[in-house]
Amino acid sequence: MAAGLSLAFVVAHPDDDAYGIAGSVALHAADPGFRFVLVHATNGEAGDLREGFPATRETLGSIRRQEDDAAWRAVGRVPNRHEWLGYSDGGLDKVPFDELVGAVEAILVQEQPTVVGTFGPDGIFGHPDHIAIGAATDAAFMRHASTTGTSFRRLLHGAIPQSVFERWNRQRAQLDLPVFDPTAMYQMRGVPDADIGLTVDCRSVAHRIVAGLQEHRSQHHVIFDDATDTERWKRIVSREWAVIAWPPRPTSTRLLTDVFEDLP
Ligand SMILES: [Zn+2]
């Protein structure tokens, strides 16, 4: 139960929010007073155009916004507030850093979220947009985290543990799928297992996470190797991990199992 607690998630593109946090939102969807705030820095208009899909370079951004709305309806919990900052997809690292920080900070200060989630410096895929919005969110959060009278209690960086990354790559090799090269841009990478501070069991809501993922129809060819293999996808999304970026966490501390557990 997370009565009156709130979660803000700040990402770069529509579909960044479809994994890594959707399970935690679904798990808390019905908590009394739970508030979910979602911020997208771009509309994802530079995303890959899927062959045969009725989208053009001009329409892809608005289509992806609609897909994102549909995805959260499919998860079963729409955001209480959803902000689209409208920066150019693929250009977040060229936005003046203070401007990006200020745009995120304005929303966080209004919302006073309990927990904020974003990307860490790995960007999960090394994507410069992910790294830029993560760094800006960190800076916005840290301007207020240590100030009395604010609600900011925890900052999370969504991440894949290195051991899981390696297991997934072994499974991909067995399935004759291309393996991820963590040194290449736009390819998945892990973080050291010891850096992970949160691991959430999402098995009970995995079907809802997959239903959300499937609404990102224009990006099926990017997201899925086989969009019909829902059982494999339920396994992949059945756990969410994060690095606890703030407050500092002694390395010997046990892993948290919920975004709101043991709030400082
Ligand atoms: Zn992205």
Side-chain angles (χ1 to χ4, degrees):
M1 290 287 273
L5 298 178
S6 57
L7 176 63
F9 196 49
V10 186
V11 295
H13 314 111
D15 80 10
D16 291 344
D17 47 330
Y19 51 86
I21 195 75
S24 290
V25 172
L27 287 168
H28 287 288
D31 291 358
F34 170 63
R35 186 168 171 83
F36 167 40
V37 175
L38 182 58
V39 180
H40 276 97
T42 83
N43 296 342
E45 72 277 6
D48 223 49
L49 288 169
R50 176 180 165 196
E51 206 178 314
F53 188 87
T56 65
R57 190 50 70 205
E58 289 67 40
T59 61
L60 186 62
S62 69
I63 287 170
R64 293 191 70 186
R65 282 177 62 146
Q66 291 167 27
E67 288 176 342
D68 202 86
D69 292 341
W72 285 103
R73 287 195 298 273
V75 169
R77 180 60 157 84
V78 297
N80 296 86
R81 176 176 177 183
H82 194 168
E83 291 283 344
W84 297 90
L85 301 181
Y87 287 108
S88 99
D89 183 4
L92 279 185
D93 58 338
K94 291 159 203 88
V95 177
F97 187 66
D98 280 348
E99 180 188 331
L100 199 54
V101 175
V104 174
E105 183 185 14
I107 298 164
L108 295 185
V109 167
Q110 279 176 8
E111 287 292 336
Q112 296 289 319
T114 324
V115 176
V116 175
T118 188
F119 290 105
D122 54 288
I124 300 186
F125 294 93
H127 195 310
D129 279 353
H130 293 187
I131 295 167
I133 194 63
T137 303
D138 285 2
F141 180 98
M142 291 311 297
R143 283 182 187 173
H144 301 276
S146 304
T147 314
T148 49
T150 63
S151 68
F152 303 88
R153 310 273 287 281
R154 179 173 287 154
L155 175 63
L156 300 175
H157 289 162
I160 311 292
Q162 182 66 22
S163 61
V164 173
F165 171 78
E166 288 170 8
R167 189 175 77 227
W168 285 354
N169 252 356
R170 284 194 300 273
Q171 290 168 349
R172 292 180 67 82
Q174 282 163 10
L175 293 167
D176 274 331
L177 296 170
V179 296
F180 297 113
D181 172 2
T183 65
M185 182 78 84
Y186 310 127
Q187 297 216 18
M188 190 182 281
R189 60 210 61 206
V191 304
D193 283 33
D195 292 354
I196 298 289
L198 170 73
T199 172
V200 183
D201 181 349
C202 298
R203 282 174 296 181
S204 65
V205 293
H207 58 294
R208 292 164 62 180
I209 304 171
V210 174
L213 268 167
Q214 285 177 325
E215 291 298 330
H216 291 275
R217 296 179 190 284
S218 70
Q219 302 300 303
H220 270 196
H221 63 306
V222 179
I223 298 171
F224 297 104
D225 306 300
D226 175 1
T228 63
D229 190 353
T230 52
E231 288 309 312
R232 176 164 167 258
W233 271 91
K234 275 180 359 199
R235 287 194 297 277
I236 291 172
V237 302
S238 66
R239 193 160 284 277
E240 293 177 348
W241 301 270
V243 173
I244 298 171
W246 193 90
R249 169 182 168 272
T251 44
S252 57
T253 318
R254 72 177 176 83
L255 294 177
L256 299 179
T257 59
D258 183 274
V259 290
F260 296 124
E261 185 181 2
D262 284 352
L263 283 170

